[in-house]
Amino acid sequence: MRPGAAVLASVSLLLLAAGPAPAGRSPLPERMADTGGGSQLLTARAARTSSTTGTVTWWNRRDGRWLKAGSAPARFGAGGLVEGGSREQGTNTTPTGLFDLPYAFGIERAPAGTTVPYRPVRPTSWWCQDNDSRSYNRWVDPRPADCRAAESEHLITYGTQYAYALVIGFNYERPVRKRGAGIFLHVDGPGATAGCVSVPRDAMRRILDWAEPGRTPHIAIGTDGGPTALTRY
């Protein structure tokens, strides 16, 4: 090769290397169909629907750009993930989709800096999962007579997982019976969840400190590709 050609080729390679990054490398929220309309977003990402582990990342939107604020390893349902609209209760699957975060709760005192509504768990606090109850998929305190204890979660008995938690608005606004109840973002237990998303305790505290109600935080749960890809939500 002529020396001049070698120099030209080297310059061309440098220009290519300095060019714009591939579209796939832009921040995940910028590749999503919807982020909930606010300026804060949590993404819970799994490799595939059969996965029980993945990553939760929290993002802030500033000056028209999404910026990563933090991330942590995540756990999903023992049955993997499934499209939220077709989920069935009792399958131990985590529903995919884009959801709001109505409020937080916990057995322990809210971490310093928490501004989202935070409900303290008391011995009388339950989450009703009884399909025959008028309180289906709702916090109840005390548990009403039509909400059977065997079909509900006594929150205070989950001292590790519910030390801190955020309610995920899956099937919450207009509950569909038998689709599922009690889907939360909470502290890791001993393994995969029964359908919730979990993160280490310190990460849960950081998320509660990060979330600001005025910025309308949402959570998007999904996979890297396929019908449940995060970019579809």
Side-chain angles (χ1 to χ4, degrees):
M1 181 182 289
R2 299 189 311 273
V7 171
L8 181 60
S10 298
V11 171
S12 298
L13 289 171
L14 287 172
L15 288 173
L16 286 170
R25 293 185 182 177
S26 59
L28 176 58
E30 294 181 7
R31 292 180 274 127
M32 292 172 57
D34 189 6
T35 56
S39 59
Q40 286 191 323
L41 179 70
L42 286 156
T43 54
R45 184 174 183 173
R48 56 191 66 86
T49 54
S50 60
S51 300
T52 59
T53 60
T55 305
V56 164
T57 304
W58 45 107
W59 308 82
N60 291 317
R61 185 169 177 82
R62 299 187 188 280
D63 300 323
R65 298 179 58 195
W66 283 102
L67 303 173
K68 179 179 174 180
S71 66
R75 295 174 179 170
F76 299 101
L81 297 88
V82 68
E83 166 58 42
S86 60
R87 184 182 187 271
E88 296 180 4
Q89 187 164 327
T91 55
N92 290 335
T93 52
T94 297
T96 65
L98 178 68
F99 309 107
D100 63 356
L101 299 162
Y103 57 88
F105 67 87
I107 294 171
E108 299 191 20
R109 187 186 300 272
T114 301
T115 56
V116 296
Y118 189 91
R119 297 185 181 182
V121 173
R122 304 186 299 180
T124 51
S125 304
W126 292 72
W127 196 273
C128 186
Q129 299 180 352
D130 188 338
N131 283 283
D132 296 327
S133 174
R134 290 171 295 178
S135 301
Y136 178 67
N137 202 20
R138 287 291 184 271
W139 170 293
V140 289
D141 192 346
R143 179 176 55 83
D146 74 338
C147 180
R148 292 169 291 174
E151 299 293 326
S152 302
E153 281 195 344
H154 192 198
L155 299 178
I156 205 164
T157 63
Y158 297 89
T160 297
Q161 294 93 325
Y162 297 158
Y164 311 106
L166 268 167
V167 176
I168 295 175
F170 166 73
N171 199 31
Y172 187 77
E173 185 175 353
R174 296 181 180 87
V176 175
R177 309 288 167 159
K178 299 183 179 181
R179 181 158 292 169
I183 301 298
F184 313 127
L185 173 64
H186 63 66
V187 176
D188 282 340
T193 73
C196 296
V197 180
S198 72
V199 294
R201 177 186 171 95
D202 179 65
M204 195 67 229
R205 289 178 60 90
R206 286 186 285 140
I207 289 168
L208 288 173
D209 178 67
W210 159 85
E212 300 177 34
R215 299 179 66 183
T216 321
H218 281 68
I219 185 169
I221 305 170
T223 55
D224 286 340
T228 56
L230 274 168
T231 50
R232 296 175 63 93
Y233 297 117

